[in-house]
Amino acid sequence: MAYSAEISRTNPACILILIDQSGSMEEPFSGSQRRKADGVADVTNRLLQNLVVRCAREEGIRDYFHLGVLGYGGEVGPAFRGPLAGRSLVPVSEIGHAPARLEERTREREDGMGGLVREKVRFPIWFESVANGATPMCQALGRATSLVGDWVRRYPDGFPPIVVNISDGQPTDGDPTAVASELRGLRTTDGEVLLLNVHLSAHAFTPIQFPSSDAGLPDAHARLLYGLSSRLTPGMLSAAREEGLQVGEGARGFVFNADIISLIKFLNIGTRPSNLR
Amino acid sequence: MRIRLEAVSLQKAGNQPSENEDAYAPESAGASRGAGASGVAPFLAAVADGATESLFSGHWARLLAGAFARGEVPDAQGLLAVLPELQRQWHAHVGAKPLPWYAEEKLREGAFATLLGVRLSEQPTVDCSGTWEALAVGDSCLFQLRRGGLLRSFPWSSPPRSAPPRSSSPRMCTRTDAWAHR
Protein backbone atom coordinates (compact mmCIF):
# COMPACT_ATOMS: atom_id res chain seq x y z
CA MET A 1 0.00 0.00 0.00
CA ALA A 2 1.30 3.46 -0.87
CA TYR A 3 2.29 5.94 1.81
CA SER A 4 3.00 3.22 4.36
CA ALA A 5 6.82 3.19 4.36
CA GLU A 6 8.25 3.31 7.83
CA ILE A 7 10.18 6.45 8.63
CA SER A 8 13.55 5.50 10.04
CA ARG A 9 17.03 6.95 10.26
CA THR A 10 18.08 4.92 7.25
CA ASN A 11 14.94 6.00 5.35
CA PRO A 12 14.07 9.43 6.74
CA ALA A 13 11.15 11.55 5.58
CA CYS A 14 11.46 14.93 3.88
CA ILE A 15 9.24 17.93 4.60
CA LEU A 16 9.77 21.12 2.62
CA ILE A 17 7.78 24.26 3.43
CA LEU A 18 7.42 26.97 0.77
CA ILE A 19 6.46 30.34 2.25
CA ASP A 20 5.13 33.32 0.34
CA GLN A 21 7.11 36.37 1.53
CA SER A 22 5.49 38.88 -0.83
CA GLY A 23 4.53 42.39 0.25
CA SER A 24 0.88 41.47 0.85
CA MET A 25 1.94 39.24 3.76
CA GLU A 26 2.13 42.56 5.70
CA GLU A 27 -1.68 42.50 5.93
CA PRO A 28 -3.34 41.01 9.00
CA PHE A 29 -4.96 37.57 9.14
CA SER A 30 -8.71 37.52 8.96
CA GLY A 31 -10.24 38.22 12.36
CA SER A 32 -6.90 39.30 13.82
CA GLN A 33 -4.53 42.24 14.18
CA ARG A 34 -1.61 39.93 13.49
CA ARG A 35 0.39 40.30 10.25
CA LYS A 36 0.15 37.18 8.11
CA ALA A 37 3.96 37.13 7.79
CA ASP A 38 4.37 37.07 11.60
CA GLY A 39 1.70 34.42 12.08
CA VAL A 40 3.23 32.16 9.44
CA ALA A 41 6.72 32.62 10.93
CA ASP A 42 5.44 31.65 14.37
CA VAL A 43 3.54 28.63 13.07
CA THR A 44 6.56 27.49 11.03
CA ASN A 45 8.90 27.77 14.03
CA ARG A 46 6.34 25.85 16.10
CA LEU A 47 6.15 23.13 13.43
CA LEU A 48 9.94 22.77 13.35
CA GLN A 49 9.99 22.67 17.15
CA ASN A 50 7.31 19.96 17.25
CA LEU A 51 9.17 17.82 14.73
CA VAL A 52 12.47 18.19 16.64
CA VAL A 53 10.75 17.28 19.92
CA ARG A 54 9.09 14.29 18.28
CA CYS A 55 12.49 12.96 17.21
CA ALA A 56 14.16 13.62 20.58
CA ARG A 57 15.34 10.55 22.45
CA GLU A 58 17.59 10.00 25.44
CA GLU A 59 20.74 9.93 23.33
CA GLY A 60 19.84 13.05 21.31
CA ILE A 61 17.72 13.76 18.23
CA ARG A 62 17.17 10.93 15.76
CA ASP A 63 17.24 11.95 12.12
CA TYR A 64 13.78 10.75 11.15
CA PHE A 65 13.30 13.92 9.08
CA HIS A 66 15.17 16.24 6.82
CA LEU A 67 13.42 19.60 6.82
CA GLY A 68 13.63 22.72 4.70
CA VAL A 69 12.00 26.13 4.42
CA LEU A 70 12.13 28.06 1.13
CA GLY A 71 10.92 31.64 1.04
CA TYR A 72 9.62 33.35 -2.09
CA GLY A 73 9.01 37.08 -2.49
CA GLY A 74 11.74 39.58 -3.28
CA GLU A 75 14.01 36.52 -3.47
CA VAL A 76 13.54 32.77 -3.79
CA GLY A 77 15.75 30.63 -1.59
CA PRO A 78 16.43 28.90 1.72
CA ALA A 79 14.90 30.84 4.62
CA PHE A 80 16.63 29.51 7.73
CA ARG A 81 18.44 32.15 9.80
CA GLY A 82 21.46 31.80 12.05
CA PRO A 83 23.89 28.88 11.70
CA LEU A 84 21.67 27.14 9.11
CA ALA A 85 21.38 30.17 6.79
CA GLY A 86 21.66 29.13 3.14
CA ARG A 87 20.92 25.44 3.83
CA SER A 88 18.02 23.80 1.99
CA LEU A 89 17.16 20.39 3.45
CA VAL A 90 18.71 19.86 6.87
CA PRO A 91 18.66 16.75 9.13
CA VAL A 92 16.37 17.38 12.08
CA SER A 93 19.19 16.83 14.60
CA GLU A 94 21.10 19.78 13.13
CA ILE A 95 17.95 21.87 13.22
CA GLY A 96 17.42 21.03 16.89
CA HIS A 97 20.97 21.96 17.79
CA ALA A 98 21.16 25.17 15.76
CA PRO A 99 18.21 27.55 16.17
CA ALA A 100 19.10 31.17 15.30
CA ARG A 101 18.08 32.05 18.87
CA LEU A 102 16.02 30.89 21.82
CA GLU A 103 13.27 33.22 23.06
CA GLU A 104 11.93 32.94 26.58
CA ARG A 105 8.15 32.75 26.52
CA THR A 106 5.48 32.20 29.14
CA ARG A 107 2.67 29.75 28.62
CA GLU A 108 -0.15 28.25 30.63
CA ARG A 109 -0.65 24.57 31.15
CA GLU A 110 -3.04 22.45 33.17
CA ASP A 111 -1.74 21.62 36.61
CA GLY A 112 -3.56 18.26 36.77
CA MET A 113 -5.86 19.49 39.54
CA GLY A 114 -8.28 21.55 37.48
CA GLY A 115 -6.20 24.73 37.46
CA LEU A 116 -3.65 26.40 35.23
CA VAL A 117 -0.03 27.20 35.98
CA ARG A 118 2.16 29.64 34.09
CA GLU A 119 5.58 28.39 33.16
CA LYS A 120 8.57 29.82 31.33
CA VAL A 121 9.70 27.88 28.27
CA ARG A 122 12.49 28.30 25.75
CA PHE A 123 11.07 28.83 22.25
CA PRO A 124 13.51 28.26 19.38
CA ILE A 125 13.50 30.56 16.33
CA TRP A 126 14.87 29.41 12.98
CA PHE A 127 12.76 31.50 10.65
CA GLU A 128 11.88 35.23 10.79
CA SER A 129 9.00 36.98 9.05
CA VAL A 130 9.68 38.74 5.75
CA ALA A 131 7.17 40.60 3.53
CA ASN A 132 8.34 42.28 0.35
CA GLY A 133 8.26 41.83 -3.41
CA ALA A 134 6.02 39.78 -5.70
CA THR A 135 4.78 36.14 -5.57
CA PRO A 136 7.16 34.01 -7.69
CA MET A 137 5.39 30.74 -6.89
CA CYS A 138 6.50 29.01 -10.12
CA GLN A 139 10.15 29.67 -9.27
CA ALA A 140 9.61 28.34 -5.74
CA LEU A 141 7.93 25.17 -7.04
CA GLY A 142 10.78 24.77 -9.54
CA ARG A 143 13.35 25.02 -6.75
CA ALA A 144 11.33 22.51 -4.73
CA THR A 145 11.25 20.10 -7.70
CA SER A 146 15.02 20.22 -7.93
CA LEU A 147 15.56 19.64 -4.17
CA VAL A 148 12.96 16.90 -3.91
CA GLY A 149 14.23 15.26 -7.11
CA ASP A 150 17.67 14.90 -5.52
CA TRP A 151 16.00 13.57 -2.41
CA VAL A 152 14.04 10.77 -4.06
CA ARG A 153 17.15 9.64 -5.93
CA ARG A 154 18.93 9.40 -2.57
CA TYR A 155 16.08 7.68 -0.72
CA PRO A 156 14.16 5.79 -3.44
CA ASP A 157 12.28 3.58 -0.96
CA GLY A 158 11.41 6.20 1.66
CA PHE A 159 8.12 7.82 2.57
CA PRO A 160 7.41 10.28 -0.29
CA PRO A 161 8.48 13.88 0.41
CA ILE A 162 5.81 16.31 1.59
CA VAL A 163 5.88 19.85 0.16
CA VAL A 164 3.63 22.44 1.81
CA ASN A 165 3.09 25.69 -0.08
CA ILE A 166 1.73 28.59 2.02
CA SER A 167 0.65 31.67 0.06
CA ASP A 168 -1.80 34.57 0.24
CA GLY A 169 -1.98 35.46 -3.42
CA GLN A 170 -1.83 34.55 -7.04
CA PRO A 171 1.50 33.69 -8.67
CA THR A 172 3.10 36.66 -10.42
CA ASP A 173 5.43 34.56 -12.58
CA GLY A 174 2.98 32.51 -14.63
CA ASP A 175 0.80 29.41 -14.36
CA PRO A 176 2.26 26.94 -11.84
CA THR A 177 0.25 23.95 -13.14
CA ALA A 178 3.06 22.38 -15.19
CA VAL A 179 5.82 22.75 -12.59
CA ALA A 180 3.49 21.53 -9.82
CA SER A 181 2.62 18.52 -11.95
CA GLU A 182 6.33 17.80 -12.47
CA LEU A 183 6.88 18.03 -8.70
CA ARG A 184 3.97 15.70 -7.91
CA GLY A 185 5.22 13.30 -10.58
CA LEU A 186 8.42 12.60 -8.64
CA ARG A 187 8.08 9.42 -6.63
CA THR A 188 9.61 6.83 -4.39
CA THR A 189 8.55 3.18 -4.41
CA ASP A 190 6.05 4.21 -1.68
CA GLY A 191 4.20 6.79 -3.76
CA GLU A 192 4.28 10.19 -5.43
CA VAL A 193 5.50 13.40 -3.84
CA LEU A 194 2.73 15.11 -1.90
CA LEU A 195 2.06 18.77 -2.64
CA LEU A 196 -0.23 20.52 -0.16
CA ASN A 197 -1.44 24.10 -0.58
CA VAL A 198 -2.62 26.66 1.96
CA HIS A 199 -4.22 29.89 0.80
CA LEU A 200 -4.23 32.55 3.53
CA SER A 201 -6.92 35.17 3.68
CA ALA A 202 -7.12 38.67 5.08
CA HIS A 203 -10.91 38.50 4.87
CA ALA A 204 -13.35 36.88 7.28
CA PHE A 205 -14.50 34.14 4.92
CA THR A 206 -15.13 30.66 6.26
CA PRO A 207 -12.09 28.51 5.42
CA ILE A 208 -12.70 25.71 2.91
CA GLN A 209 -10.68 22.79 4.24
CA PHE A 210 -9.70 19.60 2.39
CA PRO A 211 -12.36 19.74 -0.35
CA SER A 212 -13.04 16.59 -2.39
CA SER A 213 -14.07 18.50 -5.50
CA ASP A 214 -13.68 22.01 -6.90
CA ALA A 215 -17.42 22.46 -7.32
CA GLY A 216 -17.94 24.75 -4.31
CA LEU A 217 -14.78 26.81 -4.72
CA PRO A 218 -15.37 30.55 -5.11
CA ASP A 219 -13.05 31.54 -7.98
CA ALA A 220 -10.51 30.50 -10.58
CA HIS A 221 -7.54 30.97 -8.19
CA ALA A 222 -9.09 28.58 -5.66
CA ARG A 223 -9.72 26.05 -8.44
CA LEU A 224 -6.13 26.44 -9.65
CA LEU A 225 -4.71 25.70 -6.17
CA TYR A 226 -7.11 22.78 -5.77
CA GLY A 227 -5.79 21.37 -9.03
CA LEU A 228 -2.20 21.65 -7.81
CA SER A 229 -2.88 19.76 -4.57
CA SER A 230 -2.37 16.04 -3.91
CA ARG A 231 -4.99 13.77 -2.45
CA LEU A 232 -4.62 13.19 1.29
CA THR A 233 -2.95 9.91 2.24
CA PRO A 234 -4.88 7.42 4.42
CA GLY A 235 -2.81 8.58 7.42
CA MET A 236 -3.65 12.23 6.75
CA LEU A 237 -7.36 11.38 6.34
CA SER A 238 -7.32 9.72 9.78
CA ALA A 239 -5.47 12.69 11.25
CA ALA A 240 -8.03 15.11 9.75
CA ARG A 241 -10.91 13.09 11.22
CA GLU A 242 -9.15 13.05 14.60
CA GLU A 243 -9.08 16.85 14.37
CA GLY A 244 -12.86 16.76 13.99
CA LEU A 245 -12.97 17.59 10.27
CA GLN A 246 -15.38 15.89 7.90
CA VAL A 247 -13.28 14.78 4.95
CA GLY A 248 -14.24 12.54 2.05
CA GLU A 249 -12.01 9.81 0.61
CA GLY A 250 -10.91 11.99 -2.32
CA ALA A 251 -10.08 15.00 -0.15
CA ARG A 252 -7.19 17.15 -1.38
CA GLY A 253 -4.43 18.63 0.74
CA PHE A 254 -5.74 22.14 0.28
CA VAL A 255 -7.30 24.86 2.40
CA PHE A 256 -8.69 28.10 0.96
CA ASN A 257 -9.21 31.33 2.95
CA ALA A 258 -7.26 29.93 5.89
CA ASP A 259 -7.09 31.83 9.16
CA ILE A 260 -4.32 31.14 11.66
CA ILE A 261 -6.27 28.32 13.37
CA SER A 262 -6.95 26.44 10.15
CA LEU A 263 -3.30 26.93 9.11
CA ILE A 264 -2.10 25.28 12.35
CA LYS A 265 -4.62 22.45 11.94
CA PHE A 266 -3.61 21.95 8.32
CA LEU A 267 0.08 21.62 9.18
CA ASN A 268 -0.69 19.23 12.04
CA ILE A 269 -2.59 17.01 9.64
CA GLY A 270 -0.23 17.31 6.68
CA THR A 271 3.01 16.72 8.54
CA ARG A 272 2.07 14.35 11.35
CA PRO A 273 4.49 11.45 11.43
CA SER A 274 2.55 8.28 12.18
CA ASN A 275 5.01 5.59 11.30
CA LEU A 276 8.31 6.45 13.00
CA ARG A 277 10.46 3.42 13.66
CA MET B 1 5.87 -25.63 41.20
CA ARG B 2 8.89 -25.68 38.95
CA ILE B 3 9.51 -22.44 37.12
CA ARG B 4 11.97 -21.62 34.40
CA LEU B 5 12.22 -17.99 33.34
CA GLU B 6 13.76 -17.00 30.05
CA ALA B 7 13.67 -13.42 28.81
CA VAL B 8 14.27 -12.50 25.19
CA SER B 9 14.26 -8.91 24.01
CA LEU B 10 15.20 -7.33 20.70
CA GLN B 11 15.48 -3.69 19.71
CA LYS B 12 13.64 -2.44 16.64
CA ALA B 13 15.34 -2.91 13.27
CA GLY B 14 17.80 -0.10 12.66
CA ASN B 15 18.15 0.69 16.38
CA GLN B 16 21.08 0.02 18.69
CA PRO B 17 20.67 -2.46 21.59
CA SER B 18 21.05 0.54 23.93
CA GLU B 19 17.93 2.04 22.31
CA ASN B 20 15.73 -0.88 23.34
CA GLU B 21 12.93 0.59 25.49
CA ASP B 22 11.47 -2.76 26.59
CA ALA B 23 11.80 -4.00 30.15
CA TYR B 24 11.15 -7.20 32.05
CA ALA B 25 11.38 -8.35 35.66
CA PRO B 26 12.59 -10.33 37.50
CA GLU B 27 16.02 -11.02 36.07
CA SER B 28 15.78 -14.70 37.05
CA ALA B 29 13.18 -17.07 38.47
CA GLY B 30 14.95 -17.10 41.82
CA ALA B 31 14.73 -13.33 42.08
CA SER B 32 10.92 -13.27 42.07
CA ARG B 33 9.29 -12.28 45.32
CA GLY B 34 8.50 -15.39 47.32
CA ALA B 35 9.71 -17.87 44.71
CA GLY B 36 11.31 -20.82 46.39
CA ALA B 37 10.39 -19.62 49.87
CA SER B 38 7.63 -22.10 50.56
CA GLY B 39 6.82 -23.71 47.29
CA VAL B 40 3.35 -22.17 47.36
CA ALA B 41 4.22 -18.46 47.27
CA PRO B 42 3.15 -16.77 44.06
CA PHE B 43 5.60 -16.18 41.27
CA LEU B 44 5.46 -12.72 39.73
CA ALA B 45 6.83 -11.60 36.38
CA ALA B 46 6.19 -8.60 34.14
CA VAL B 47 7.08 -7.07 30.81
CA ALA B 48 6.70 -3.40 29.89
CA ASP B 49 7.09 -1.89 26.43
CA GLY B 50 8.35 1.69 26.54
CA ALA B 51 6.80 3.93 23.87
CA THR B 52 9.33 4.83 21.19
CA GLU B 53 7.92 8.33 20.89
CA SER B 54 8.41 9.35 24.53
CA LEU B 55 11.62 10.24 26.30
CA PHE B 56 13.14 8.00 29.01
CA SER B 57 10.32 5.50 28.39
CA GLY B 58 12.78 2.62 28.91
CA HIS B 59 13.38 3.80 32.47
CA TRP B 60 9.63 4.15 33.03
CA ALA B 61 9.10 0.62 31.66
CA ARG B 62 11.76 -0.75 34.06
CA LEU B 63 10.09 0.99 37.02
CA LEU B 64 6.69 -0.49 36.12
CA ALA B 65 7.92 -4.04 35.51
CA GLY B 66 10.07 -3.95 38.65
CA ALA B 67 7.19 -2.75 40.83
CA PHE B 68 4.97 -5.59 39.61
CA ALA B 69 7.65 -8.24 40.10
CA ARG B 70 8.28 -7.02 43.66
CA GLY B 71 4.60 -7.54 44.49
CA GLU B 72 3.76 -3.83 44.73
CA VAL B 73 0.93 -4.08 42.16
CA PRO B 74 -1.64 -6.59 43.42
CA ASP B 75 -4.38 -5.37 41.06
CA ALA B 76 -5.59 -2.40 39.02
CA GLN B 77 -6.26 -0.30 42.12
CA GLY B 78 -2.82 -1.22 43.40
CA LEU B 79 -1.31 0.01 40.15
CA LEU B 80 -2.99 3.40 40.56
CA ALA B 81 -1.78 3.53 44.16
CA VAL B 82 1.86 2.86 43.28
CA LEU B 83 2.01 5.26 40.29
CA PRO B 84 2.76 8.49 42.23
CA GLU B 85 5.87 6.96 43.81
CA LEU B 86 7.04 5.55 40.47
CA GLN B 87 6.44 8.94 38.84
CA ARG B 88 8.52 10.58 41.60
CA GLN B 89 11.34 8.12 40.93
CA TRP B 90 11.15 8.78 37.18
CA HIS B 91 11.27 12.56 37.68
CA ALA B 92 14.21 12.19 40.11
CA HIS B 93 16.07 10.12 37.48
CA VAL B 94 15.48 12.46 34.52
CA GLY B 95 15.62 15.70 36.52
CA ALA B 96 19.17 14.97 37.65
CA LYS B 97 20.51 15.61 34.13
CA PRO B 98 21.14 18.96 32.44
CA LEU B 99 18.96 18.86 29.33
CA PRO B 100 18.83 20.76 26.03
CA TRP B 101 15.69 22.74 25.13
CA TYR B 102 14.09 19.94 23.12
CA ALA B 103 14.48 17.37 25.88
CA GLU B 104 13.03 19.81 28.43
CA GLU B 105 10.07 20.33 26.13
CA LYS B 106 9.55 16.64 25.53
CA LEU B 107 9.76 15.73 29.20
CA ARG B 108 6.67 17.84 29.81
CA GLU B 109 4.76 15.14 27.90
CA GLY B 110 5.94 12.44 30.36
CA ALA B 111 6.84 8.88 29.39
CA PHE B 112 4.60 6.02 28.31
CA ALA B 113 4.83 2.23 28.52
CA THR B 114 2.61 -0.82 28.46
CA LEU B 115 2.57 -3.21 31.42
CA LEU B 116 1.74 -6.89 31.43
CA GLY B 117 2.16 -8.69 34.74
CA VAL B 118 1.38 -12.30 35.58
CA ARG B 119 1.08 -13.95 38.95
CA LEU B 120 1.31 -17.76 39.21
CA SER B 121 -0.13 -19.27 42.38
CA GLU B 122 -0.11 -22.93 43.32
CA GLN B 123 -3.08 -24.40 45.15
CA PRO B 124 -1.57 -26.30 48.11
CA THR B 125 -4.56 -28.59 48.60
CA VAL B 126 -5.38 -29.58 45.07
CA ASP B 127 -2.94 -31.68 43.12
CA CYS B 128 -1.70 -30.42 39.80
CA SER B 129 -3.67 -27.20 39.79
CA GLY B 130 -2.91 -23.56 40.08
CA THR B 131 -4.12 -20.13 39.21
CA TRP B 132 -2.68 -17.52 37.00
CA GLU B 133 -3.79 -13.98 37.21
CA ALA B 134 -2.72 -11.26 34.81
CA LEU B 135 -2.97 -7.51 34.64
CA ALA B 136 -2.52 -5.64 31.38
CA VAL B 137 -2.34 -2.02 30.26
CA GLY B 138 -1.79 -1.40 26.56
CA ASP B 139 -0.84 -3.78 23.78
CA SER B 140 1.55 -6.25 25.39
CA CYS B 141 0.06 -9.74 25.33
CA LEU B 142 0.28 -12.95 27.38
CA PHE B 143 0.09 -16.32 25.61
CA GLN B 144 -0.61 -19.58 27.46
CA LEU B 145 0.73 -22.51 25.45
CA ARG B 146 0.32 -26.20 26.05
CA ARG B 147 1.85 -29.00 24.01
CA GLY B 148 2.77 -26.54 21.29
CA GLY B 149 -0.77 -25.13 20.98
CA LEU B 150 -2.26 -21.83 22.04
CA LEU B 151 -4.60 -22.28 25.00
CA ARG B 152 -5.38 -18.65 25.64
CA SER B 153 -4.10 -15.14 25.12
CA PHE B 154 -4.71 -12.02 27.19
CA PRO B 155 -5.73 -9.23 26.78
CA TRP B 156 -5.68 -9.57 22.97
CA SER B 157 -7.11 -12.45 20.96
CA SER B 158 -6.03 -10.79 17.71
CA PRO B 159 -3.51 -8.02 17.03
CA PRO B 160 -4.91 -4.56 17.81
CA ARG B 161 -5.35 -2.48 14.62
CA SER B 162 -3.55 0.46 16.15
CA ALA B 163 -1.76 1.20 19.40
CA PRO B 164 -4.26 1.69 22.25
CA PRO B 165 -4.53 5.27 23.57
CA ARG B 166 -1.96 6.35 26.12
CA SER B 167 -4.65 6.48 28.80
CA SER B 168 -5.70 2.80 28.48
CA SER B 169 -7.41 1.32 31.53
CA PRO B 170 -5.87 -1.74 33.21
CA ARG B 171 -7.54 -5.08 32.47
CA MET B 172 -7.42 -8.10 34.77
CA CYS B 173 -7.83 -11.79 34.06
CA THR B 174 -7.86 -14.74 36.48
CA ARG B 175 -7.76 -18.38 35.41
CA THR B 176 -7.49 -21.61 37.36
CA ASP B 177 -5.81 -24.40 35.51
CA ALA B 178 -3.94 -27.67 35.79
CA TRP B 179 -0.26 -26.90 35.32
CA ALA B 180 1.47 -28.45 32.39
CA HIS B 181 4.59 -29.17 34.38
CA ARG B 182 5.26 -29.73 38.06
Side-chain angles (χ1 to χ4, degrees):
Chain A
M1 191 173 75
Y3 304 110
S4 60
E6 274 194 330
I7 298 169
S8 66
R9 282 165 285 181
T10 46
N11 259 330
C14 163
I15 299 177
L16 180 61
I17 314 287
L18 314 182
I19 297 179
D20 181 349
Q21 297 180 320
S22 62
S24 58
M25 292 291 282
E26 284 278 4
E27 295 168 10
F29 265 106
S30 66
S32 162
Q33 299 296 311
R34 195 123 193 257
R35 292 192 326 155
K36 283 182 281 190
D38 292 340
V40 169
D42 229 22
V43 170
T44 304
N45 284 315
R46 173 78 63 192
L47 172 68
L48 295 172
Q49 180 195 31
N50 287 345
L51 290 169
V52 169
V53 167
R54 212 150 244 259
C55 298
R57 297 293 183 272
E58 284 159 55
E59 75 282 3
I61 303 167
R62 294 185 186 174
D63 282 327
Y64 291 125
F65 294 101
H66 289 204
L67 307 172
V69 182
L70 290 183
Y72 61 98
E75 296 171 13
V76 178
F80 287 129
R81 297 288 182 92
L84 301 176
R87 304 269 307 272
S88 298
L89 282 170
V90 182
V92 68
S93 63
E94 287 189 57
I95 289 174
H97 291 130
R101 58 194 168 85
L102 285 167
E103 271 183 19
E104 191 168 274
R105 294 190 179 185
T106 304
R107 75 174 169 205
E108 289 185 337
R109 69 172 173 86
E110 292 179 14
D111 64 3
M113 291 175 288
L116 292 172
V117 289
R118 290 169 74 82
E119 62 183 9
K120 285 189 172 160
V121 294
R122 289 184 283 169
F123 186 79
I125 305 289
W126 294 272
F127 172 75
E128 308 273 5
S129 65
V130 176
N132 70 70
T135 310
M137 192 187 290
C138 297
Q139 271 191 67
L141 289 168
R143 184 72 76 92
T145 305
S146 162
L147 288 171
V148 167
D150 288 344
W151 175 271
V152 297
R153 281 188 286 278
R154 224 171 124 196
Y155 299 102
D157 298 319
F159 191 89
I162 299 169
V163 180
V164 185
N165 176 34
I166 303 171
S167 166
D168 75 336
Q170 305 199 18
T172 52
D173 60 348
D175 183 345
T177 303
V179 66
S181 174
E182 187 186 349
L183 174 58
R184 288 196 318 274
L186 296 169
R187 57 178 303 133
T188 70
T189 53
D190 194 43
E192 292 184 340
V193 167
L194 294 158
L195 174 58
L196 316 178
N197 285 285
V198 183
H199 168 261
L200 305 174
S201 178
H203 306 289
F205 298 128
T206 305
I208 299 170
Q209 303 178 81
F210 306 110
S212 297
S213 91
D214 62 1
L217 297 176
D219 57 35
H221 181 51
R223 285 190 288 276
L224 171 75
L225 290 176
Y226 173 86
L228 304 184
S229 307
S230 303
R231 284 184 167 204
L232 293 183
T233 66
M236 289 174 186
L237 281 171
S238 309
R241 287 169 186 149
E242 275 173 34
E243 292 274 359
L245 295 169
Q246 292 192 334
V247 287
E249 286 303 313
R252 301 275 181 113
F254 171 49
V255 56
F256 196 71
N257 286 331
D259 53 16
I260 190 85
I261 302 293
S262 50
L263 172 63
I264 293 168
K265 233 179 214 191
F266 184 91
L267 290 176
N268 278 343
I269 292 163
T271 63
R272 187 181 302 184
S274 57
N275 42 1
L276 295 188
R277 174 174 275 277
Chain B
M1 174 162 62
R2 195 181 71 201
I3 291 171
R4 196 184 78 178
L5 178 74
E6 186 178 340
V8 180
S9 183
L10 186 66
Q11 74 277 8
K12 287 179 173 171
N15 286 10
Q16 300 296 316
S18 62
E19 294 165 355
N20 187 341
E21 289 118 349
D22 297 343
Y24 58 88
E27 287 290 329
S28 64
S32 170
R33 175 184 169 271
S38 64
V40 294
F43 173 81
L44 303 170
V47 295
D49 177 0
T52 303
E53 287 220 358
S54 62
L55 206 56
F56 297 105
S57 61
H59 187 69
W60 179 237
R62 286 190 288 279
L63 287 171
L64 286 170
F68 188 93
R70 287 191 301 276
E72 296 168 12
V73 185
D75 52 24
Q77 280 303 317
L79 176 60
L80 294 179
V82 80
L83 281 180
E85 171 56 21
L86 298 181
Q87 286 165 339
R88 191 196 61 72
Q89 290 177 29
W90 183 82
H91 279 290
H93 175 78
V94 302
K97 305 164 191 286
L99 295 170
W101 70 264
Y102 53 82
E104 265 183 20
E105 186 66 27
K106 184 145 187 152
L107 282 182
R108 290 180 225 279
E109 300 170 5
F112 305 90
T114 70
L115 174 65
L116 173 68
V118 63
R119 176 185 291 106
L120 304 179
S121 306
E122 195 170 20
Q123 310 283 14
T125 53
V126 185
D127 196 29
C128 282
S129 76
T131 300
W132 65 255
E133 190 172 26
L135 174 145
V137 185
D139 60 358
S140 293
C141 195
L142 177 137
F143 299 96
Q144 186 182 15
L145 306 176
R146 182 161 299 162
R147 296 186 189 93
L150 179 65
L151 209 60
R152 187 186 166 118
S153 65
F154 171 79
W156 304 96
S157 53
S158 60
R161 282 189 193 165
S162 58
R166 287 168 167 181
S167 55
S168 300
S169 302
R171 294 170 67 181
M172 292 287 298
C173 173
T174 304
R175 189 170 167 89
T176 302
D177 236 324
W179 298 117
H181 301 287
R182 286 184 59 97

